[in-house]
């Protein structure tokens, strides 16, 4: 469905929290949503690597990379693994790389931008903790929806009346 977010905002104005506009839609799947799984890690994508290897059906990985514009928290190999394991999408409050390859995958990916440098792998970060950026807190177990209009969060799963 195109323009999912405006429809969700119109039907459920009291149930949605809209993230401040900052993300570019860079994956092959422009519209995506699902249950939130979070990672909080700065310039270290070790936990991203671990999570995309897990089954992700119905889930979206939300990565709080601290807004870093100095390293890429996701590249094509990890994105391919996420697609293979059924993840709906990945939202990264930081950068990605290998954007042309990622754009060919059936995976939603939104990020602040692109950067060619990979992260260090130090095994640092927190899994499934509430993370806050863009004026919204992303709580594991809640739901996130994204399309070319932006990103929004809801405490409950939302379905359009005409869907």
């Amino acid at each position: 469905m195109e323009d999912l977010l405006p429809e969700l905002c119109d039907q459920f104005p009291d149930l949605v929290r809209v993230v401040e506009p900052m993300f570019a839609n860079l994956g092959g799947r422009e519209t995506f949503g699902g249950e939130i799984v979070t990672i909080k890690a700065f310039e270290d994508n070790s936990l991203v690597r671990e999570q995309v290897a897990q089954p992700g059906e119905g889930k979206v990985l939300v990565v709080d990379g601290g807004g870093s514009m100095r390293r890429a928290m996701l590249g094509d190999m990890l994105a391919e693994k996420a697609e293979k394991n059924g993840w709906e999408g990945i939202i990264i409050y930081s950068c990605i790389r290998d954007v042309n390859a990622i754009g060919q995958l059936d995976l939603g990916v939104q990020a602040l931008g692109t950067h060619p440098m990979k992260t260090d792998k130090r095994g640092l970060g927190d899994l499934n903790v509430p993370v806050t950026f863009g004026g919204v807190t992303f709580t594991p177990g809640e739901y996130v929806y994204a399309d070319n209009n932006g990103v929004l969060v809801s405490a409950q799963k939302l379905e359009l009346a005409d869907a």
Side-chain angles (χ1 to χ4, degrees), residues 71-87:
R71 299 288 177 121
M73 293 290 286
L74 181 74
D76 60 345
M77 293 191 318
L78 295 186
E80 287 171 10
K81 191 173 282 193
E83 177 192 42
K84 178 178 166 247
N85 288 311
W87 287 86

Side-chain angles (χ1 to χ4, degrees), residues 127-138:
L127 177 65
N128 277 329
V129 296
V131 297
T132 303
F133 53 83
V136 171
T137 298
F138 297 79

Side-chain angles (χ1 to χ4, degrees), residues 1-49:
M1 160 175 272
E2 293 184 34
D3 296 323
L4 173 66
L5 268 60
E7 293 295 326
L8 290 175
C9 287
D10 290 352
Q11 286 192 28
F12 306 103
D14 298 330
L15 299 180
V16 300
R17 305 183 308 273
V18 178
V19 179
E20 295 167 1
M22 65 179 70
F23 291 102
N25 207 348
L26 302 167
R29 186 185 296 177
E30 291 187 345
T31 301
F32 62 97
E35 184 179 343
I36 296 171
V37 175
T38 66
I39 291 174
K40 185 175 182 72
F42 186 74
E43 297 182 2
D44 182 340
N45 72 349
S46 302
L47 283 178
V48 175
R49 176 182 301 278

Side-chain angles (χ1 to χ4, degrees), residues 10-156:
D10 290 352
Q11 286 192 28
F12 306 103
D14 298 330
L15 299 180
V16 300
R17 305 183 308 273
V18 178
V19 179
E20 295 167 1
M22 65 179 70
F23 291 102
N25 207 348
L26 302 167
R29 186 185 296 177
E30 291 187 345
T31 301
F32 62 97
E35 184 179 343
I36 296 171
V37 175
T38 66
I39 291 174
K40 185 175 182 72
F42 186 74
E43 297 182 2
D44 182 340
N45 72 349
S46 302
L47 283 178
V48 175
R49 176 182 301 278
E50 291 175 15
Q51 285 307 296
V52 297
Q54 303 299 316
E57 290 83 7
K59 297 179 183 176
V60 174
L61 188 59
V62 177
V63 181
D64 181 353
S68 173
M69 301 300 280
R70 303 183 308 188
R71 299 288 177 121
M73 293 290 286
L74 181 74
D76 60 345
M77 293 191 318
L78 295 186
E80 287 171 10
K81 191 173 282 193
E83 177 192 42
K84 178 178 166 247
N85 288 311
W87 287 86
E88 303 299 322
I90 304 174
I91 297 171
I92 299 193
Y93 184 53
S94 185
C95 293
I96 69 166
R97 67 187 205 160
D98 305 316
V99 68
N100 293 334
I102 289 173
Q104 299 300 310
L105 299 176
D106 183 23
L107 178 71
V109 178
Q110 292 209 8
L112 295 180
T114 61
H115 196 288
M117 183 67 73
K118 66 182 179 179
T119 68
D120 293 328
K121 308 281 187 295
R122 299 180 311 269
L124 302 176
D126 296 307
L127 177 65
N128 277 329
V129 296
V131 297
T132 303
F133 53 83
V136 171
T137 298
F138 297 79
T139 303
E142 291 191 343
Y143 293 84
V144 63
Y145 301 90
D147 69 9
N148 286 323
N149 295 287
V151 177
L152 63 80
V153 174
S154 176
Q156 63 192 62

